[in-house]
Amino acid sequence: MTKDLTKGNIPKLLLGFLIPIIFGKLFQQIYNVVDAAIVGHALGVTALGGVGSTGSLNFLILGFCDGLTSGFALPVAQAFGAGDHRALRRYVTNSAILTTLITVILMAIVLPLTGKLLTLMGTPSSQIGYAYNYIFIIFVGIPATMLYNMLAGIIRSLGDSRTPIYFLLIASALNIVGDLLLVSVFRLGVAGAAWATVGSQLISGILCFVYMIRKFPILHMEKEDWKYERGSAKYLLANGLPMGFQFSITAIGGVILQSAVNSLGPVYVSAQAAGHRLNMLLISPFNAYLNVSSTFTGQNMGAGEFDRIKKGVLWGHVILTGFWLLESIGVTLIGDRMLLLFLTKEDAALVSEPAMLSIYTFTYGMFFLTTVQVVRLAIQGMSFSKLALVAGMLEMAARAGSGLFLVPKFGYIAACMAAPLGWLLADLFLIPAFVVCFRKRRAEYEASGRLAC
């Protein structure tokens, strides 16, 4: 079922669209949380550290996939907002063609390099075997990840943020069962956890595909819709590639930072791994708002509703600030007990202090992330992809600089402060950039009565 975000009460629409996506992000994180919990309890803190040390490399590759497909969904949202269903279908089919091609290229590059990248990152020798066995299988599952992300992005662009969540709920349950069977019963170790994740992701993608065919009449393609169209492909890539690179550029800083943490020894690697798993749960509402901001902005730009775009940005700040306050209070009160999700009491005692330092600095620093998530994708939704990319470069600079210069001098606390510093730097750029982009697009629309992008 489609949903028009160009009309109606803005905060009610934003929250109604956001809440299901938050659950979706949480369910996606459940894949990783369950992996970490079962690995940590069944295989121990060293195995957990090995799996956790792949987090930045994971985000480098899968973050690109997520950003790329989210960018592909923006022209779909714009065409839907403009009521141009023929253009919408062209964007969907060309998205499928481009996604397939990029998936093949990505796997051909990534799979042979996985082991070398882990070595270059300085993964501790006691943990590198666990790291490789886990992340290589995750990368084998790139087609499943791309399938779900592309289809879920298209469904959300049409105003339906709920249905992909239902499919993720099913997949999450299957992932839990798969983890328990493959790790605890069949003793496949961290590889079993990875295969359970990939299989679950594939199922959620297939469910999205079947749903789209049955429930969206505007996506019933004709033969001419399946033709590769250079103009449509170029516009999709102009939105998708910068967004994908934006995620990957940020992750490059994370890889450098992870290398610096690896040099501090296995205790800090394991502490960061445990803290990272909890941080990824806490950041879910903020990451969910990326999809809300891009879809809301894309639809309203397509309809020429620029006053709603501005109000949407203001309400986005209010909503995410509320989430930040609630999470900050929760972490302050019970953050130390949350570690027991991933570790036994004995293992938690070994890494508790550095892990909690990571959790506290990350959570309190998410205040600066509020503007990043609201404004960056609003800029992206107005098709200023290159400017949105600059924010990712600033985040990368902060993380890389912390890893190269601050961690050797100040130790682990510098690694914990890297993310908040990156968000602050991005904010200083994004706020004036949004004002310029907004004024430019509104002037273009008022002058011609159509999008000039």
Side-chain angles (χ1 to χ4, degrees):
M1 180 184 296
T2 60
K3 188 174 183 64
D4 189 349
L5 302 179
T6 64
K7 300 179 180 65
N9 182 274
I10 291 175
K12 183 178 179 180
L13 281 172
L14 291 175
L15 281 171
F17 200 76
L18 174 64
I19 298 301
I21 299 177
I22 289 176
F23 281 108
K25 294 296 182 181
L26 287 172
F27 291 141
Q28 281 187 312
Q29 288 304 319
I30 284 173
Y31 291 158
N32 295 323
V33 168
V34 170
D35 288 348
I38 293 177
V39 168
H41 285 278
L43 303 177
V45 69
T46 301
L48 176 63
V51 171
S53 69
T54 67
S56 57
L57 184 57
N58 191 329
F59 186 60
L60 175 67
I61 305 304
L62 298 191
F64 173 80
C65 299
D66 191 8
L68 178 80
T69 52
S70 294
F72 284 173
L74 289 175
V76 177
Q78 292 169 0
F80 180 73
D84 189 347
H85 293 174
R86 185 174 182 181
L88 184 153
R89 287 191 292 271
R90 287 202 308 271
Y91 285 135
V92 170
T93 54
N94 279 268
S95 291
I97 294 169
L98 292 172
T99 299
T100 301
L101 178 62
I102 292 172
T103 297
V104 172
I105 295 172
L106 195 60
M107 291 185 69
I109 296 172
V110 169
L111 292 180
L113 294 177
T114 300
K116 295 178 182 178
L117 290 172
L118 290 171
T119 301
L120 286 173
M121 290 170 61
T123 308
S125 58
S126 61
Q127 297 172 324
I128 193 169
Y130 293 114
Y132 180 82
N133 290 340
Y134 180 81
I135 197 63
F136 185 83
I137 295 170
I138 293 296
F139 289 159
V140 168
I142 287 174
T145 300
M146 292 284 262
L147 175 67
Y148 173 78
N149 287 345
M150 182 190 71
L151 298 182
I154 292 170
I155 292 172
R156 284 192 296 264
S157 293
L158 301 179
D160 182 357
S161 64
R162 295 177 180 271
T163 301
I165 312 313
Y166 301 145
F167 298 150
L168 273 179
L169 178 60
I170 295 171
S172 297
L174 292 174
N175 184 56
I176 293 172
V177 174
D179 273 326
L180 291 171
L181 286 175
L182 297 178
V183 176
S184 300
V185 177
F186 293 104
R187 306 291 182 183
L188 296 183
V190 296
W195 281 121
T197 298
V198 170
S200 301
Q201 191 80 17
L202 178 61
I203 290 171
S204 62
I206 293 172
L207 290 173
C208 282
F209 179 73
V210 173
Y211 177 80
M212 284 176 60
I213 292 176
R214 294 184 176 182
K215 298 297 183 179
F216 289 102
I218 61 174
L219 294 180
H220 290 173
M221 308 296 179
E222 299 177 2
K223 184 177 180 180
E224 64 180 17
D225 293 324
W226 282 103
K227 293 180 180 178
Y228 174 79
E229 186 175 273
R230 185 175 180 181
S232 297
K234 183 178 179 180
Y235 190 49
L236 286 164
L237 290 171
N239 282 275
L241 287 178
M243 199 164 172
F245 288 134
Q246 174 183 310
F247 280 54
S248 290
I249 284 173
T250 302
I252 289 171
V255 170
I256 295 172
L257 184 63
Q258 181 66 55
S259 300
V261 173
N262 290 345
S263 70
L264 299 176
V267 170
Y268 287 101
V269 174
S270 297
Q272 189 190 47
H276 177 75
R277 297 301 183 182
L278 182 55
N279 290 339
M280 290 302 97
L281 285 175
L282 295 171
I283 205 174
S284 292
F286 296 80
N287 285 342
Y289 205 86
L290 290 171
N291 300 115
V292 177
S293 185
S294 60
T295 301
F296 181 85
T297 302
Q299 284 197 17
N300 280 283
M301 192 179 81
E305 296 287 347
F306 285 88
D307 285 341
R308 287 177 65 84
I309 293 175
K310 182 167 62 176
K311 291 177 181 177
V313 167
L314 295 175
W315 275 109
H317 279 88
V318 172
I319 290 168
L320 286 189
T321 299
F323 278 106
W324 173 74
L325 287 171
L326 290 174
E327 292 186 353
S328 296
I329 293 170
V331 163
T332 301
L333 295 176
I334 61 171
D336 54 342
R337 279 169 276 177
M338 294 179 182
L339 279 179
L340 298 177
L341 285 170
F342 314 108
L343 299 169
T344 63
K345 288 184 178 180
E346 294 77 12
D347 286 337
L350 296 174
V351 301
S352 177
E353 184 176 347
M356 289 311 304
L357 180 61
S358 170
I359 293 166
Y360 287 141
T361 54
F362 189 91
T363 304
Y364 302 149
M366 282 197 298
F367 174 78
F368 300 113
L369 181 61
T370 298
T371 296
V372 174
Q373 303 302 70
V374 173
V375 174
R376 180 169 57 187
L377 265 291
I379 291 174
Q380 182 78 33
M382 291 185 286
S383 294
F384 285 97
S385 303
K386 293 179 181 178
L387 288 180
L389 182 61
V390 174
M393 295 176 67
L394 290 171
E395 288 190 57
M396 179 199 71
R399 294 170 190 260
S402 296
L404 292 172
F405 305 112
L406 299 183
V407 173
K409 185 173 182 179
F410 299 104
Y412 185 69
I413 190 171
C416 297
M417 294 297 297
L421 177 60
W423 298 329
L424 176 59
L425 287 176
D427 286 344
L428 296 176
F429 168 78
L430 286 169
I431 293 171
F434 172 78
V435 174
V436 172
C437 294
F438 178 82
R439 289 175 178 174
K440 179 176 175 61
R441 282 289 181 250
R442 182 168 60 181
E444 290 172 347
Y445 194 90
E446 289 174 352
S448 64
R450 61 185 179 84
L451 297 179
C453 57

